[in-house]
Amino acid sequence: MIPRCLLHPISVKQLRQGHPWVTLDAYSRRFPTDSSMLIGLDDKKMEVGTLLHDPRHKTVRARLWSKERGYPEKNFTQDLELRLIKAREKRLSLESFKNRENRYWCFAEGDEIPGLMVLQLGERFIIQFYALLWNDHKELLKKLLLKTFPEIDEKKLWLQARSEDGSGQKSPTLWDETPKSEQFIIHENDIRMHVRLGESYDYSVYSDMAAVRYALRPIFQKSKRVLNLYSYTGAFSLLALKLGAERVVSVDLSAKYLAWLEENLLLNDFQGEHASMKTSTENALKDLINKKEQFDFIICDPPSSSSDGQKRTSALQSYEVIWNNLQKLLAPEGLLLSFLNTHTVSMPKFEKHLRGLEDNRLQIQKKYHLMDDCPTIKGFHEGNYLKGILWK
Ligand SMILES: C[S@@+](CC[C@H](N)C(=O)[O-])C[C@H]1O[C@@H](n2cnc3c(N)ncnc32)[C@H](O)[C@@H]1O
């Protein structure tokens, strides 16, 4: 029998509105610690849903598994298998998924498998746990993954677990948790990139943006001069060059990431010229204005929060500082794509903030969110962290 537990009225409301988490509160603190599943009840003892219990997680204590009344515990394995099959089939029907080797086969809550991601990087599959509860189902998961994904080679199965001390994601390891680091090359449509797996949390490409990059191809095909701000290892710069840009400028503060970008450039054939600027975006913009440069397409993807050693700056504050100069660098018909990568600011708030910037002369053309292999669910803002606004 699955234990029945009263939920905080706010959890009840949120679960009913589509938010699939129960966070730590006076009610969830009292959930029986020895149970992996719970039935959540409202104050009238009505069932709200069956939850996967995560008693060791610092903040997210339970995640919605089913809204079916009287959900039988014995159905868990079969339903997990069905959800994995569904996640895989969904991907196989996606155009943007076909021609790349960095892609998500399962995107946690977006695929109704809470806290579990299945990421492919080249021939390796990395199973990412965002919930600690999956540590208790490792054997079952491996069995089901090998059964439902013919693409997975057991010897190339990796694990990225979450640390029990609350410090977040660990570095990826082999599935049996043997540490290993590997460097290899993957392709994403026409571009090739190095991946560094196992060195740290950061493996040198953002796979959750691959579908957005695919959606941006028509813009890149028309853009001769491209500026990639906060370029990291250069995925956007490589795409621009590959799709015919004549000049691409990449700006990043990090010498390490720009060195990786240079290595990525060597993997790809293209005609255009590329320049790296190892400096802050703020300084790079002033320099480019002094040189009277103009760009047909500017991509701006600041970190959600950064520090220069003295003060912390949020992405919204960065936009306040740079917006006017971004406009000066845009060619008359040029496009600017502003990203924000945090769930703490909603799209309406992001849009309002940028629209309200002094002397904003640009008009919104289109908005971007996580898409395709990175599905999100309505009402779950933590899952919908990526926002992009295209301006002209
Ligand atoms: C969110 S990542 C960008 C990801 C990239 N757009 C992509 O899709 O691959 C942020 C990058 O900004 C760089 N960075 C942080 N502060 C910066 C600043 N003030 N000026 C330039 N780059 C900065 C970091 O080194 C990091 O590579």
Side-chain angles (χ1 to χ4, degrees), residues 7 16-17 29 52 60 78 82 89 126 165-166 198 229 248 257 265 279 336 363:
L7 301 177
R16 289 195 169 134
Q17 287 176 344
R29 209 184 286 281
L52 301 184
V60 188
Q78 182 196 326
L82 288 175
E89 281 173 357
I126 301 97
D165 64 11
L229 300 167
V248 175
Y257 293 149
L265 288 169
T279 181
L336 162 66
Q363 299 296 323

Coordinates of all heavy atoms in Angstrom, one line a residue, residues 7 16-17 29 52 60 78 82 89 126 165-166 198 229 248 257 265 279 336 363:
L7 N -0.9 17.1 2.0 CA 0.0 18.1 1.3 C -0.3 19.5 1.8 O -1.5 19.8 2.1 CB -0.1 18.0 -0.2 CG 0.1 16.7 -0.9 CD1 -0.2 16.8 -2.4 CD2 1.6 16.3 -0.6
R16 N -2.2 20.9 -8.9 CA -3.5 21.0 -9.8 C -3.3 22.0 -10.9 O -3.9 21.8 -12.0 CB -4.7 21.4 -8.9 CG -5.0 20.2 -8.0 CD -6.4 20.3 -7.4 NE -6.8 19.1 -6.7 CZ -7.3 18.9 -5.5 NH1 -7.6 20.0 -4.8 NH2 -7.6 17.7 -5.0
Q17 N -2.4 22.9 -10.8 CA -2.2 23.9 -11.9 C -1.1 23.4 -12.9 O -0.7 24.1 -13.8 CB -1.8 25.2 -11.3 CG -2.9 26.0 -10.7 CD -2.5 27.3 -10.1 OE1 -1.3 27.5 -9.8 NE2 -3.5 28.1 -9.7
R29 N 8.0 17.6 5.3 CA 9.0 17.2 6.3 C 8.5 15.9 7.0 O 9.3 15.1 7.5 CB 9.2 18.3 7.3 CG 10.6 18.4 7.9 CD 10.6 19.5 8.9 NE 10.6 20.9 8.3 CZ 11.7 21.4 7.8 NH1 12.9 20.8 7.9 NH2 11.6 22.6 7.3
L52 N 6.6 10.5 -6.6 CA 7.8 9.8 -6.3 C 8.5 10.6 -5.2 O 8.7 11.8 -5.3 CB 8.8 9.8 -7.5 CG 8.2 9.1 -8.8 CD1 9.3 9.1 -9.9 CD2 7.7 7.7 -8.6
V60 N 13.4 19.6 -3.3 CA 12.3 19.0 -4.0 C 12.0 17.6 -3.4 O 12.7 16.7 -3.7 CB 12.6 18.9 -5.5 CG1 11.3 18.5 -6.2 CG2 13.0 20.2 -6.0
Q78 N 6.3 -0.9 -15.4 CA 5.7 -0.9 -16.7 C 5.5 0.6 -17.2 O 5.7 0.9 -18.4 CB 4.3 -1.6 -16.6 CG 3.6 -1.8 -17.9 CD 2.1 -2.2 -17.5 OE1 1.8 -2.8 -16.6 NE2 1.2 -1.7 -18.4
L82 N 7.0 2.4 -20.5 CA 6.2 3.0 -21.5 C 6.5 4.5 -21.8 O 6.6 5.0 -22.9 CB 4.7 2.9 -21.1 CG 4.0 1.6 -21.2 CD1 2.6 1.6 -20.7 CD2 4.0 1.0 -22.7
E89 N 10.1 7.6 -29.1 CA 9.4 7.7 -30.3 C 9.1 9.2 -30.7 O 9.2 9.5 -31.9 CB 8.0 7.0 -30.2 CG 8.3 5.5 -30.4 CD 7.1 4.6 -30.1 OE1 6.0 5.2 -29.7 OE2 7.2 3.4 -30.3
I126 N 24.5 9.6 -21.6 CA 24.8 10.0 -20.2 C 23.4 10.1 -19.6 O 22.5 10.9 -20.0 CB 25.5 11.4 -20.2 CG1 26.9 11.3 -20.9 CG2 25.8 11.8 -18.7 CD1 26.9 11.7 -22.3
D165 N 24.9 15.7 -0.9 CA 25.2 16.8 0.1 C 24.6 18.2 -0.4 O 24.8 19.2 0.2 CB 26.7 17.0 0.3 CG 27.4 17.4 -0.9 OD1 26.8 17.7 -1.9 OD2 28.7 17.3 -0.9
G166 N 23.8 18.1 -1.5 CA 23.2 19.3 -2.0 C 24.0 20.2 -2.8 O 23.6 21.3 -3.2
G198 N 33.6 14.2 -18.4 CA 34.1 13.6 -17.2 C 35.1 14.5 -16.5 O 35.5 14.2 -15.4
L229 N 28.2 37.2 -28.9 CA 28.7 37.7 -27.6 C 28.5 36.6 -26.5 O 27.5 36.0 -26.5 CB 27.9 39.0 -27.2 CG 28.0 40.1 -28.2 CD1 27.0 41.2 -28.0 CD2 29.4 40.7 -28.1
V248 N 32.9 36.6 -38.7 CA 32.3 36.3 -37.4 C 33.2 36.8 -36.3 O 34.4 36.5 -36.4 CB 32.0 34.8 -37.3 CG1 31.5 34.5 -35.9 CG2 31.0 34.4 -38.3
Y257 N 37.8 29.0 -22.7 CA 36.7 28.7 -23.7 C 37.1 29.2 -25.1 O 36.7 28.5 -26.1 CB 35.4 29.3 -23.2 CG 34.8 28.7 -21.9 CD1 34.1 29.5 -21.0 CD2 35.1 27.4 -21.6 CE1 33.6 28.9 -19.9 CE2 34.6 26.8 -20.5 CZ 33.8 27.6 -19.6 OH 33.3 27.0 -18.5
L265 N 37.2 25.6 -34.3 CA 37.3 26.1 -35.7 C 38.1 25.2 -36.6 O 37.8 25.0 -37.8 CB 37.9 27.5 -35.6 CG 37.1 28.7 -35.0 CD1 38.0 29.9 -34.8 CD2 35.9 29.0 -35.9
T279 N 37.9 39.5 -24.0 CA 37.6 40.7 -23.2 C 36.1 40.6 -22.8 O 35.4 39.7 -23.2 CB 37.9 42.0 -24.0 OG1 37.7 43.1 -23.2 CG2 37.0 42.1 -25.3
L336 N 19.0 41.2 -33.7 CA 19.6 40.9 -32.5 C 18.8 39.9 -31.7 O 17.6 40.0 -31.6 CB 19.7 42.2 -31.6 CG 19.9 42.1 -30.1 CD1 21.3 41.6 -29.9 CD2 19.8 43.5 -29.4
Q363 N 12.3 46.5 -32.5 CA 10.9 45.8 -32.5 C 11.1 44.3 -32.3 O 12.0 43.7 -33.0 CB 10.2 46.1 -33.8 CG 9.9 47.6 -34.1 CD 9.0 48.2 -33.0 OE1 8.1 47.6 -32.5 NE2 9.3 49.4 -32.6

